[in-house]
Each structure stands twice: as structure tokens, then as C-alpha cells.
Amino acid sequence: MKIDHLGIATGGIEESLKFWEDALGLESVHVEVVEDQRVRVAMLPIGESRIELLEPLGDDSPISGFLEKRGGGIHHIAVEVKDINESLAKLKAEGVRLIDEEPRVGAENCLVAFVHPKSANGVLLELVQKTA
Ligand code: ZN
């Protein structure tokens, strides 16, 4: 397992890139709208992981609520798993509270599923399985 990315909530990706790209020196290599999750994301590789900037697509986006409550910050941590169905089955068997019982398609066409923060020390955890 490894950390695939850290999801960071922002009101505006372009504005955020002034810090992450211009000041810090990372590079946004991929920007994408994930309609299903009502977000636009930018991926910035850092070592073997990435920073994922998350911008809400509208007031109905989960990121909007997060920004309202916290004004930004780390929204979730994503770990890469080999077999997301197997991981979900194991977590379920362990009594872990899941947000997604079934994987769905996330950014970069990966299969993703979220684990409820109540079961993960207050951290929203995303499982990611890469697709070929
Ligand atoms: Zn993510």
C-alpha cells in the first residue's frame, strides 16, 4: 500500500496553483472534472504520491460544505489498493463504516470508494484502484 494522493479543498484551483506551482515548485499535470463527485481536480505529483486540489463545481458539491465549515485544508487521504472489492469486503467484515459499499469511477478513471471518518480517526479515507 502507498499514499496515492492527499486531497486538499480549495475555492479555486488557479488561485491555489500560485502557491503549489509558482511558489512551491510542484507542477499540475492533469486537470479534470469529476461530475459524479461534483468537483474539478488538479493533480500535482510529489515523490511517489500526488497532491489533489479539489474545487467544488457548485453549491451541491461536498467540497462546498467542507469549505464553508473549515475554509480549506486536507479533505481526504487516498491509499492505493490492489483489489478494491477485496479491500471493501475485508473492511466490511471488520465492521468498518463505509460511505461507498461499491466502488465508483473517480478521477483518471480509477475505481474509488470512501471510508467513513468515524471509522478512521476522523480522516476521510479514499481507496483507489488504478485501472489499466
Ligand atoms: Zn481523492
Side-chain angles (χ1 to χ4, degrees):
M1 246 182 215
K2 67 165 193 174
I3 305 269
D4 181 75
H5 63 264
L6 300 174
I8 295 177
T10 170
I13 284 174
E14 278 65 33
E15 183 66 23
S16 293
L17 287 178
K18 288 180 191 161
F19 170 71
W20 295 99
E21 276 194 328
D22 303 347
L24 192 62
L26 299 181
E27 191 191 351
S28 169
V29 295
H30 178 79
V31 178
E32 179 186 350
V33 168
V34 186
E35 188 62 53
D36 180 53
Q37 290 167 33
R38 302 291 295 142
V39 291
R40 192 161 75 103
V41 307
M43 289 291 192
L44 295 86
I46 179 164
E48 63 166 13
S49 299
R50 281 95 50 84
I51 300 286
E52 179 187 61
L53 298 176
L54 298 149
E55 176 192 291
L57 282 185
D59 290 343
D60 56 343
S61 170
I63 298 300
S64 294
F66 184 86
L67 288 171
E68 250 167 54
K69 257 184 256 159
R70 311 219 202 154
I74 293 186
H75 177 260
H76 64 270
I77 294 176
V79 295
E80 185 183 343
V81 298
K82 280 209 179 74
D83 183 335
I84 196 165
N85 286 301
E86 194 181 293
S87 297
L88 285 171
K90 169 140 172 53
L91 290 167
K92 221 173 160 179
E94 299 284 343
V96 169
R97 190 161 152 198
L98 301 173
I99 291 173
D100 300 305
E101 305 243 332
E102 301 289 335
R104 45 194 174 130
V105 177
E108 300 172 312
N109 274 323
C110 293
L111 291 175
V112 303
F114 284 92
V115 175
H116 199 283
K118 280 242 155 39
S119 286
N121 296 112
V123 174
L124 178 60
L125 190 71
E126 178 183 15
L127 307 179
V128 180
Q129 180 189 329
K130 306 276 178 187
T131 46

